Structure formats: C-alpha cells, structure tokens
Amino acid sequence: TGGCPPHSLCVIPLTNLRVRALPRAVLASEAGIRGPVLPHVEQLVFYAHHGLPSIDLRLFRHFSRQLRQSTARLWLMLYRQKETGVRPLTNISWMIEAGACVWGNGTVRRAWPSVFARTSEMAASTTDPNHRRYWWFHCTLLAWNHTYGHAYPKALFWWRVEPDVLVAEWASFIRLADTSHSDVLLPNFVTAKQHPTYPHWQRNKHLLAGVPRREWVYSLVSIGRYSRRFMHLMAARWAAGQVAYEEIFLPMSCTAREGCRRDSFRSLLGSGLHFRFRPNWNCTTFLRSAMSVSRPLLWHPVKRRQCWADYLDACGGNSSRPGSCARLLQEVQW
C-alpha cells in the first residue's frame, strides 16, 4: 500500500498532511484509559458541519455521551473553506467531550490534487455551492484517518452524519446498525426506474457507462456507515482521481462483483425511518415521536433543533433538572 502504516486507509501516503496526537479532551473522556491509543473503539461517527451554532454544540455533547455507551465515538469535522490541513479545535473538543477538527478546500487540494481538479470540472453544472462539495465530501474521512487514525487501530466502520439528521438515541441506534454486516449502509436506495428524472444520472455517465440501467441506484448520503473494506476501495478510486456525485458514487462503488455488500436504513428501521430530501420536519414532531416509541428512529431533515437540545438538556441521561424536564413535557401538545 505504498508504505502506509497498518491502520491506514490510504493507498499512497498523504505526506502533505500532518499526523497529530489526539486532543486531550478525547483522552479525558475515556475513563481509565492511559496512553494515546483507544483500541476498544470500533466505530467513529463524524458529524460534518459548516456553521456550528450553540444549539448543535449542546447536542453534540449529548450525542458524545450516548455514544460512549457503545463501541463508537463522536468526532466533529468543521468545514472552513480556506483551511489547508486537518487541525484540532481544542476548545470545542472540551465543550462537546469529543474530538473536533477543522478542514477545508485546501485539505482536499493538497491530499488529492487530481480529485480536486476533476471535481472543479465535473461540478460546474451544479449551481448550489454546497452541492458542489458532494463530489468529494467523503474523501475527507481519509484525511482525518491520516491525521488521527493511528489512535483507533481497531476501527471497523466510519460514519458521516450531517447535523439535520436526528437519531432518537445513539447507542441503541449503533446496536441496531450492528445487525447489518454490510460495507455500505445508507438511508434508502432509489433505482433509475423509480426516479428516471434524477438529474445526476445524466451528469455521471462516466461512472454508469457499461452498467445495465436496471442496476443504477442512488441514495441520499446525509448519513452513512462505511466499512474498512469499502474505505480501502474508495481510497484507491480517489488516489486514481476518480470522482462522481456521491449520491451515486458511493452506492454504485459497492457491488457484488467487488465483494462489497450494501444495505439500507429503510430495511433496518421500517416505519422508524422518516427520511426525505424536503420539506423539513418540525422539531416538535420528531420530539413527540422520540418520546412515544421505544424503537430506534432516524429523521431528516430537521433544520431547527432547539426543542431536541432543550429536551436532552432537561431530561437527558445525567440531568440534574427534573423540574425543567417536567415543565418541558407539559408544554408538548399531543
């Protein structure tokens, strides 16, 4: 693998990016653990964010505490356009009791110049600036792995989650996902027959060439879980400069021909999945559902998350505000 260390997912060393020690806040949150390596962690849940309002800082702290009841750990990856590396965010890491780092366009340009150049060409037809980044968002997981992956030698799965995705309780959600041994776990696969007018079929002909149309699928990628095997596969593709719109690129890169298995949250959750592109879900609608059912839930998009932050602050695991919890619950109209 071009001299990469055993834990690494790179195909060629990302020599332009620094290897860093874990933030002290990460080690402080691991009771009884001494030293720079966390061999008990098997999954990493990356929240991808652009703006980081205070509400989400509160939520990430709760999510981090929930995940510590499982073999998964939370990391925040904050996007800043002009950033050129992967740098720690020390203060934020202490605030959310989890890892936090910042990356940017320059990070991708330095690590995968051919990907960045090809993306600029391919994404020209995508008018929304945020959607243009959906041609290379996920390769930033490899940039993180080069920087901090040495501390997680037993990691098996990498998650990427956007902040408008809400899970009722993370530890139980991880346990449900563990029942699927797939390499790629995404919300729901949509075929070309089901959605023939999906605009990215036309824009990604280079990826779909030679693939029978009946096998074309896409999925929203607002949340996804990816195995070590799949990340190795994608590392090779990115190293070769291959790019495509990720809603197609990720599921279409996992095929039986390559020994790759994919599964959907739809098949795991059934009626517990409330996942769509738009319109937005109301936060109170999600809260009522989360309070009334015991099974794992997955909702998207929930843009305004104040009510969930208030609920977890008042009623969450280590709450010392039972009066506030009672008042909040009374305010929820059924």
Side-chain angles (χ1 to χ4, degrees):
T1 56
C4 296
H7 65 268
S8 180
L9 295 176
C10 61
V11 172
I12 56 173
L14 306 180
T15 54
N16 288 335
L17 301 180
R18 287 182 55 188
V19 175
R20 297 181 182 272
L22 285 179
R24 289 177 58 192
V26 173
L27 296 174
S29 69
E30 300 288 338
I33 298 295
R34 297 179 180 274
V37 176
L38 305 178
H40 58 293
V41 177
E42 297 179 351
Q43 304 188 49
L44 293 150
V45 177
F46 296 94
Y47 266 91
H49 217 307
H50 293 185
L52 206 58
S54 60
I55 290 171
D56 285 338
L57 288 173
R58 292 158 56 195
L59 286 172
F60 293 154
R61 183 169 59 250
H62 286 291
F63 299 163
S64 178
R65 292 172 180 175
Q66 292 173 6
L67 284 164
R68 287 203 294 273
Q69 306 305 311
S70 72
T71 60
R73 293 297 183 270
L74 183 142
W75 270 79
L76 167 67
M77 293 192 71
L78 183 65
Y79 170 79
R80 289 288 181 264
Q81 183 174 350
K82 296 182 180 180
E83 178 60 41
T84 61
V86 180
R87 291 187 301 105
L89 296 170
T90 303
N91 291 340
I92 291 176
S93 193
W94 282 108
M95 292 172 67
I96 66 174
E97 302 175 11
C101 59
V102 61
W103 65 279
N105 289 8
T107 310
V108 179
R109 186 184 296 111
R110 289 173 62 187
W112 299 277
S114 58
V115 165
F116 198 84
R118 180 70 171 149
T119 296
S120 299
E121 173 189 342
M122 297 294 298
S125 60
T126 307
T127 56
D128 186 305
N130 183 53
H131 289 173
R132 288 176 188 165
R133 292 188 283 268
Y134 277 95
W135 293 75
W136 46 258
F137 259 146
H138 283 71
C139 64
T140 58
L141 297 180
L142 298 188
W144 174 92
N145 190 77
H146 177 84
T147 306
Y148 293 109
H150 60 87
Y152 302 93
K154 299 295 181 64
L156 301 173
F157 292 105
W158 284 253
W159 296 68
R160 185 184 177 278
V161 188
E162 296 179 2
D164 58 356
V165 174
L166 288 186
V167 171
E169 201 282 321
W170 262 107
S172 61
F173 190 73
I174 291 288
R175 287 191 289 271
L176 175 68
D178 284 345
T179 64
S180 172
H181 301 292
S182 61
D183 296 290
V184 172
L185 186 56
L186 288 169
N188 188 42
F189 299 111
V190 182
T191 67
K193 183 177 181 180
Q194 292 169 321
H195 193 176
T197 60
Y198 178 62
H200 291 287
W201 300 136
Q202 181 69 23
R203 298 168 184 167
N204 290 268
K205 285 185 174 180
H206 64 291
L207 177 69
L208 300 170
V211 180
R213 188 175 178 86
R214 64 179 180 276
E215 297 180 15
W216 294 7
V217 295
Y218 80 89
S219 173
L220 295 179
V221 295
S222 312
I223 181 173
R225 189 197 71 178
Y226 311 97
S227 72
R228 173 180 290 273
R229 172 167 45 184
F230 181 72
M231 294 302 289
H232 270 289
L233 189 156
M234 293 306 299
R237 296 194 174 204
W238 285 316
Q242 296 180 28
V243 292
Y245 198 67
E246 289 184 337
E247 291 183 0
I248 298 178
F249 196 22
L250 298 177
M252 291 296 294
S253 294
C254 181
T255 66
R257 289 186 294 274
E258 295 171 305
C260 187
R261 296 171 294 178
R262 63 190 183 210
D263 198 357
S264 71
F265 290 113
R266 170 71 66 191
S267 66
L268 292 181
L269 289 162
S271 61
L273 181 73
H274 299 265
F275 215 92
R276 61 194 185 192
F277 177 51
R278 60 169 68 100
N280 300 335
W281 294 102
N282 183 278
C283 182
T284 304
T285 305
F286 166 78
L287 176 58
R288 290 171 181 167
S289 182
M291 292 165 57
S292 63
V293 299
S294 58
R295 68 178 183 275
L297 297 174
L298 178 60
W299 288 61
H300 171 275
V302 186
K303 299 295 186 183
R304 298 186 179 184
R305 300 175 285 278
Q306 176 82 42
C307 82
W308 189 230
D310 290 344
Y311 172 79
L312 292 177
D313 283 349
C315 310
N318 298 317
S319 174
S320 59
R321 301 165 57 197
S324 298
C325 179
R327 287 193 297 273
L328 187 148
L329 296 181
Q330 289 173 0
E331 292 173 1
V332 177
Q333 301 298 315
W334 297 90

